[in-house]
C-alpha cells in the first residue's frame, strides 16, 4: 500500500498524461472490495494520504491513513471510540497538525495550519462538544468566525444567517442566546455558521450522541439537504445503523487505521459490525431481572438547579432489588440534579428518598455511601477519581476505613495494593503499575477504574450515570455484563444514560424524564420507541 | 477658606485620585474580558511610575517620561503575559511574582540611578489644564474641568474602551476568548494573539496610570507611591462588572476614599491625629473588601477568567 500511494503522488507531481493515470485507475479497480480512491480524481472534494499522528503520550491515533471524500456525498467515518476518527477530522479541520502525510483539496496539495485556514479551504467541523459560546447570541457566535475586521457588523451577519437558514429550511432566531436553545438547535446553529462561511465540506463529529431519535431524523433531513446543495458531509459515528441510514459511502477505521471504504448500498449491518470490531458478536437485548423487595422509594422530590429554579419537580419512583430502572431523557431535564440529590451532593427542597426505612434526603454523601449506595458519576475527572493519587489509592477511597484495609486508623498498604491488583485484572484496566497516578491513564481506563471501585463494594443500590461514556464497544459490553450480574445478585440499579440503546438494552423498566418530571414509564417488554422518543421531547400524545 | 471652597477642593482631589485608578481599571477590564486576571498590575504600575519618572528626570522632557512609562508598563505586563499565555502558569501566582519582582527591580535601579540615596525631585510637572469656558462653570468647573490632561484622556477612553469591547470584531473575539478559549480556538481565533494584544493595551494604560502618579500627582518617586492602586483597580473591575462605565463609577468611589485618607493624613490635628490618620489610610482597603463582598457576589465575570488554557 505505501508503494502504491507513492506511485500516485508521483503521477500527479509530474502531471503525467491521462493514459498513465488511467493505468492507475485500473489497478485500483482490480481490488474489488475497495472503492477506488485517487487524488487525481477531480471529483474528490478532499483527499488525505499517509496521515500519521502520534500524541505526546505515545498513542498513535492515526497510522498512515488514506481517505477521500467525493463532492456532494455523505461519507460516514465509522469506528469505535479511540479508532482515530476524531483525530483525523481534527487534522482536516486544522485543530491538530499531523506528523506526516498530505492533504489535497480539489486536487491541490494544501497545508492546514489552523481552523481559519481550513475554513478558507472550505472545510468546517461541528465538534462533538459544540463550540458555541453559551452567553453569546446566535449572531454573535456566527460573527466570531467570520473575519470582518474593525467595527462589528452584526446586521450583515444577521441577514446572512437568515438567508442561509431560509435557503435550507432551517429556522433559527438570530438573536436568541445559545444557552436558551436545546442541543438539537445548537447543532443547527453550528451548521448554519459553517454555511455562512461558505464551507463545502462539513465534518460532523458524533452529531447524534446528544440528540433524541426525532432530532436525529431532523438532522439527517438537514444532511440530505446539504448534499442536494452540492456540499460534502462527513459524519463521524460509532453507530452502524446511522452510518447506513444517512451516508453514500462508509469508511471504517480501527485502531488508527482505515480498514476499508464501502458503498452504503453494497453492505449491511452485519458486515459493518464485524469490520468495526474484529470478531465482535453483540449480545442480545432485553434480558429480564427478578425484582424483589423495594430498595429505594423516591416520593415528591423537589430539587433546585443552579439557577435557583426547581429542576426536579415532584418526582416519584421506586426501584426494587434485582431490577434495573432506566431513566431516559434529553440531557438537562433534571437528571443531573436528581442524581445529585439522591447521592447527597445537592440539597433537596422537599420530598423523601427512602432506603431501608431511612430517609436519605439531605443526608451527607458519606451517610448515603455507608447505607450501601454506589455512584458512577458522569463527570469522572472531577468527581469520580482524584487524578494525582495512585490507582490503588483511588480504588480504596471508599473502603479505606474498613478492615482489613485499615485498622486503628493505620492503612494496610499491602491489602490495599492486592485489592487494586485484583480489580485491575477483573475490570481489565490497562495500567502498568497500581502505584502510578490515575492521571497517567487514558480516559477509558479512568472510567473502568471508577466503575470497578463502585461496583466492587457490595452496595445494594447502584446509581449509574452514563456508565459507559467514552468506552469502546468491548469495554462497554464488559460493564453491561457486570451490571447485569449484580442485578442477578439482587442489587438495585438506577441507570441514567443519554444512550437510548443502552437504556433499552439493560433496563427492566424505563422512566422518561422531561422538564424535571417523570412523564411516563414503560416496561422493557412493551416498549414503543416512537412514543418514548416523543415523550423525551415533552409531547404528551 | 470657606466651607464651599474646601468642599470643592476636596471633590476635585477625589477626581484627581480617581484618575490613575480609572486608567488602570480600564486596562484591567480589557484583559479580564479576555480571561486573564492580572494581579501583576500592581507591579506594572510601579514600574510605569518609575520608568516614567526616570525618563522625565534624565531628559528633562515630561512627554518622554510619558513614553517611557508606557514602555515600562507594557514590558512588565508582557512579562506577565509570557508567563501565563506562553507558559500557561497560574495567573494569580504569576501576578504576585511580578509584583515582588517589580518592587525589587524598582528599588535596585533607583539606587543605581541615584547612588547618593534620598529621593530625587522633578522641577516640572504635568499641571492641571483648565478647559476654556467649561472650567468657569461654578462648582462643577473647578472639580471636573481643572484636572491634569490624564483625566480628560481617561474620561475619553471610557466610551472608546466600551466601543472596543462591545462594538468591534476584536471585542467580540476578546469576549469569546474570556468565555471559553478552547471554543474560540476551534472557530479559528488565535487566543494567544488576542490575549497579548489586550495585555499590550493594558500595559500602556497602566504605564500611563503610573506616570500620572510621578509626573502629575507627585513630583518624586518612592516605591510606596503606587502601593495598593493596582489591587484596588482589580476590585474596581469586579465592582464595575467588567464594564468600562462601571470602572468609571468604581474609580470615583475609590478615588474618594484615597482622597479622604490623603487629606486626613495631611490635615488632622490633635493628640489622636497620627493614629486616626493611620486608620484613614486603611479606608481604601476596607472599601475594597466591602466592594468585593457586595459586588463580587452579584456579578458574574467572564467564564474562563483566571483559568489556565493550553493549546491542544
Amino acid at each position: 500500500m505505501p508503494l502504491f500511494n507513492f506511485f500516485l503522488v508521483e503521477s500527479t507531481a509530474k502531471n503525467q498524461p491521462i493514459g498513465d493515470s488511467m493505468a492507475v485507475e485500473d489497478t485500483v479497480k482490480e481490488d474489488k472490495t475497495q472503492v477506488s480512491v485517487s487524488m487525481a480524481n477531480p471529483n474528490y472534494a478532499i483527499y488525505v494520504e499517509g496521515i500519521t499522528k502520534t500524541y505526546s503520550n505515545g498513542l498513535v491515533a492515526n497510522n498512515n491513513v488514506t481517505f477521500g471524500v467525493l463532492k456532494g456525498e455523505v461519507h460516514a467515518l465509522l469506528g469505535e471510540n479511540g479508532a482515530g476518527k476524531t483525530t483525523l477530522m481534527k487534522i482536516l479541520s486544522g485543530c491538530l497538525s499531523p506528523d506526516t502525510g498530505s492533504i489535497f483539496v480539489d486536487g491541490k496539495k494544501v497545508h492546514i495550519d489552523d481552523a481559519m485556514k481550513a475554513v478558507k479551504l472550505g472545510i468546517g467541523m461541528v465538534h462533538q462538544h459544540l463550540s458555541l459560546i453559551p452567553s453569546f447570541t446566535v449572531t454573535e457566535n456566527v460573527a466570531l468566525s467570520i473575519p470582518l475586521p474593525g467595527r462589528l457588523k452584526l446586521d450583515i451577519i444577521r441577514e446572512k444567517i437568515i438567508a442561509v437558514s431560509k435557503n435550507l429550511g432551517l429556522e433559527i432566531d438570530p438573536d436568541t442566546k445559545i444557552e436558551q436553545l436545546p442541543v438539537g438547535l445548537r447543532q443547527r446553529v453550528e451548521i448554519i455558521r459553517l454555511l455562512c462561511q461558505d464551507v463545502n465540506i462539513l465534518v460532523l463529529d458524533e452529531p447524534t450522541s446528544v440528540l433524541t431519535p426525532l432530532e436525529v431524523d431532523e438532522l439527517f433531513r438537514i444532511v440530505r439537504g446539504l448534499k442536494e446543495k452540492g456540499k460534502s458531509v462527513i459524519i463521524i459515528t460509532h453507530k452502524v445503523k446511522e452510518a447506513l441510514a444517512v451516508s453514500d459511502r462508509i469508511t471504517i477505521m480501527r485502531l488508527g487505521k482505515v480498514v476499508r471504504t464501502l458503498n452504503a448500498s453494497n453492505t449491511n449491518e452485519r458486515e459493518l459490525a464485524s469490520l468495526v470490531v474484529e470478531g465482535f458478536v453483540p449480545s442480545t437485548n432485553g434480558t429480564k431481572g427478578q425484582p424483589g423487595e423495594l430498595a429505594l422509594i423516591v416520593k415528591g422530590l423537589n430539587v433546585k438547579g443552579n439557577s435557583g429554579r426547581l429542576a426536579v419537580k415532584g418526582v416519584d419512583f421506586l426501584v426494587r432489588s434485582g431490577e434495573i430502572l432506566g431513566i431516559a431523557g434529553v440531557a438537562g431535564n433534571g437528571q443531573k440534579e436528581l442524581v445529585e440529590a439522591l447521592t447527597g451532593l445537592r440539597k433537596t427542597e422537599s420530598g423523601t428518598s427512602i432506603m431501608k426505612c431511612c430517609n436519605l434526603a439531605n443526608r451527607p454523601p458519606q451517610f448515603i455511601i455507608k447505607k450501601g449506595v454506589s455512584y458512577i458519576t458522569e463527570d469522572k475527572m472531577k468527581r469520580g477519581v482524584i487524578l494525582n493519587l495512585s490507582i490503588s489509592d483511588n480504588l480504596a477511597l471508599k473502603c479505606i476505613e474498613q478492615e482489613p484495609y485499615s485498622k486503628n486508623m493505620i492503612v494496610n498498604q499491602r491489602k490495599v495494593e492486592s485489592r487494586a491488583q485484583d480489580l485491575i485484572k477483573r475490570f481489565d484496566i490497562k495500567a502498568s503499575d497500581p502505584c502510578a497516578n490515575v492521571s497517567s491513564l487514558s480516559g477509558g481506563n479512568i472510567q473502568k477504574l471508577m466503575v470497578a471501585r463502585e461496583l466492587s463494594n457490595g452496595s445494594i443500590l447502584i446509581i449509574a450515570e452514563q456508565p459507559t461514556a467514552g468506552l469502546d464497544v468491548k469495554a462497554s459490553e464488559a460493564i453491561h455484563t457486570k451490571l447485569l450480574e449484580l442485578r442477578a445478585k439482587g442489587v438495585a440499579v438506577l441507570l441514567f444514560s443519554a444512550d437510548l440503546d443502552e437504556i433499552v438494552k439493560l433496563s427492566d423498566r424505563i422512566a422518561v424524564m422531561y422538564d424535571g418530571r417523570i412523564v411516563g414509564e414503560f416496561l422493557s417488554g412493551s416498549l414503543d420507541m416512537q412514543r418514548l422518543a416523543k415523550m423525551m421531547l415533552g409531547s404528551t400524545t | 477658606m470657606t466651607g464651599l471652597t474646601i468642599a470643592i477642593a476636596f471633590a476635585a482631589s477625589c477626581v484627581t485620585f480617581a484618575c490613575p485608578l480609572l486608567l488602570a481599571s480600564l486596562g484591567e477590564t480589557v484583559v479580564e474580558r479576555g480571561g486573564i486576571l492580572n494581579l501583576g498590575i500592581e507591579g506594572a504600575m510601579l514600574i510605569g511610575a518609575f520608568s516614567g519618572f526616570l525618563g522625565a528626570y534624565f531628559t528633562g522632557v515630561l512627554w518622554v517620561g510619558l513614553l517611557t512609562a508606557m514602555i515600562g508598563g507594557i514590558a512588565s505586563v508582557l512579562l506577565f503575559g509570557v508567563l501565563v499565555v506562553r507558559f500557561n502558569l497560574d495567573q494569580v501566582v504569576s501576578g504576585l511574582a511580578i509584583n515582588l519582582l517589580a518592587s525589587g527591580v524598582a528599588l535596585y535601579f533607583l539606587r543605581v540611578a541615584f547612588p547618593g540615596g534620598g529621593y530625587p525631585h522633578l522641577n516640572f510637572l504635568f499641571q492641571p489644564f483648565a478647559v476654556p469656558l467649561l472650567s468657569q462653570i461654578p462648582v462643577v468647573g473647578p472639580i471636573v474641568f481643572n484636572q491634569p490632561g490624564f483625566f480628560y484622556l481617561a474620561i475619553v477612553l471610557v466610551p472608546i474602551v466600551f466601543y472596543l469591547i462591545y462594538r468591534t470584531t476584536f471585542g467580540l473575539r476578546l469576549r469569546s476568548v474570556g468565555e471559553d478559549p478552547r471554543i474560540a480556538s476551534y472557530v479559528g481565533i488565535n487566543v494567544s494573539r488576542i490575549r497579548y494584544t489586550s495585555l499590550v493595551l493594558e500595559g500602556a494604560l497602566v504605564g500611563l496610570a503610573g506616570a500620572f502618579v510621578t509626573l502629575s500627582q507627585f513630583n518624586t518617586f518612592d516605591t510606596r507611591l503606587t502601593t495598593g492602586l493596582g489591587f484596588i483597580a482589580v476590585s474596581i473591575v469586579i465592582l464595575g462588572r467588567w464594564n468600562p462605565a462601571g470602572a468609571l463609577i468604581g474609580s470615583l468611589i475609590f478615588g474618594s476614599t484615597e482622597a479622604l485618607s490623603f487629606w486626613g493624613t495631611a490635615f488632622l490635628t490633635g493628640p489622636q491625629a497620627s493614629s486616626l490618620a493611620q486608620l484613614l489610610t486603611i479606608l481604601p482597603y476596607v472599601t475594597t473588601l466591602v466592594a468585593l463582598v457586595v459586588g463580587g457576589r452579584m456579578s458574574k465575570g467572564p467564564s474562563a477568567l483566571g483559568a489556565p488554557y493550553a493549546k491542544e
Side-chain angles (χ1 to χ4, degrees), chain A residues 131-132 148 150-152 193, chain B residues 163 167 169 179 183 186-187:
Chain A
S131 48
L132 298 166
L148 290 171
R151 196 174 69 85
L152 199 53
R193 173 165 71 183
Chain B
Y163 186 84
R167 297 282 186 272
T169 304
E179 287 295 323
I183 289 179
Y186 278 175
V187 298

Side-chain angles (χ1 to χ4, degrees), chain A residues 226-512:
Chain A
L226 290 171
K227 183 186 153 187
E228 275 167 27
K229 303 270 173 202
K231 309 278 183 192
S232 304
V233 182
I234 307 175
I235 290 193
I236 302 180
T237 181
H238 60 265
K239 290 179 184 153
V240 172
K241 272 185 202 158
E242 287 177 357
L244 277 171
V246 73
S247 59
D248 301 311
R249 293 196 304 149
I250 301 169
T251 292
I252 297 117
M253 285 188 78
R254 191 166 67 215
L255 299 171
K257 289 181 181 170
V258 166
V259 179
R260 195 177 287 179
T261 299
L262 296 161
N263 282 321
S265 49
N266 295 345
T267 183
N268 56 44
E269 248 179 77
R270 182 180 293 264
E271 183 186 20
L272 287 174
S274 67
L275 285 170
V276 170
V277 186
E278 215 166 10
F280 172 70
V281 189
S283 68
T284 47
N285 281 3
T287 47
K288 286 216 86 169
Q290 305 251 306
E293 65 195 61
L294 286 169
L296 177 75
I297 308 161
V298 173
K299 227 178 161 90
L301 208 62
N302 284 310
V303 186
K304 275 187 182 167
N306 288 342
S307 63
R309 282 191 293 264
L310 278 184
V312 177
K313 302 166 184 169
V315 160
D316 303 316
F317 64 84
L318 37 90
V319 196
R320 291 170 188 278
S321 62
E323 82 165 346
I324 298 179
L325 173 64
I327 309 267
V330 180
N333 275 297
Q335 298 95 321
K336 187 174 140 254
E337 289 81 2
L338 175 59
V339 168
E340 287 176 352
L342 294 177
T343 50
L345 297 169
R346 187 179 280 272
K347 211 178 117 215
T348 50
E349 299 304 312
S350 60
T352 53
S353 134
I354 292 168
M355 194 168 155
K356 287 197 170 166
C357 309
C358 172
N359 187 0
L360 302 183
N362 286 329
R363 292 289 195 154
Q366 200 178 13
F367 179 87
I368 295 172
I369 291 167
K370 281 197 176 138
K371 279 280 163 190
V373 178
S374 272
Y375 172 38
I376 298 174
T377 169
E378 180 179 28
D379 193 358
K380 57 179 179 256
M381 297 297 190
K382 281 192 190 145
R383 291 186 169 174
V385 294
I386 301 175
L387 285 171
N388 291 326
L389 279 187
S390 71
I391 295 166
S392 67
D393 287 348
N394 264 288
L395 284 168
L397 280 179
K398 284 193 173 171
C399 63
I400 198 78
E401 285 183 353
Q402 301 155 11
E403 284 189 48
Y405 307 111
S406 71
K407 198 173 178 185
N408 303 326
M409 295 174 76
I410 293 172
V411 174
N412 185 338
Q413 202 61 39
R414 207 183 307 149
K415 282 273 184 340
V416 167
E417 270 171 40
S418 70
R419 178 184 132 96
Q421 245 138 13
D422 175 50
L423 287 177
I424 287 174
K425 209 179 289 166
R426 268 170 51 207
F427 284 83
D428 191 32
I429 303 170
K430 301 218 166 40
S432 47
D433 178 7
C435 296
N437 275 1
V438 166
S439 53
S440 67
L441 298 179
S442 72
N445 280 305
I446 292 178
Q447 178 75 12
K448 286 189 207 168
L449 181 148
M450 180 182 68
V451 170
R453 183 185 69 215
E454 295 302 318
L455 298 190
S456 61
N457 50 5
S459 294
I460 51 177
L461 171 69
I462 294 165
I463 299 176
E465 208 182 5
Q466 323 289 2
T468 56
L471 294 183
D472 61 34
V473 186
K474 271 185 202 159
S476 304
E477 196 63 24
I479 287 175
H480 289 169
T481 314
K482 189 76 194 169
L483 284 173
L484 293 175
E485 247 175 62
L486 287 168
R487 173 178 73 178
K489 283 184 190 156
V491 174
V493 180
L494 187 55
L495 173 70
F496 291 81
S497 177
D499 183 355
L500 205 51
D501 291 343
E502 177 168 74
I503 292 221
V504 171
K505 179 178 164 189
L506 297 176
S507 309
D508 296 290
R509 286 183 299 131
I510 299 168
V512 182

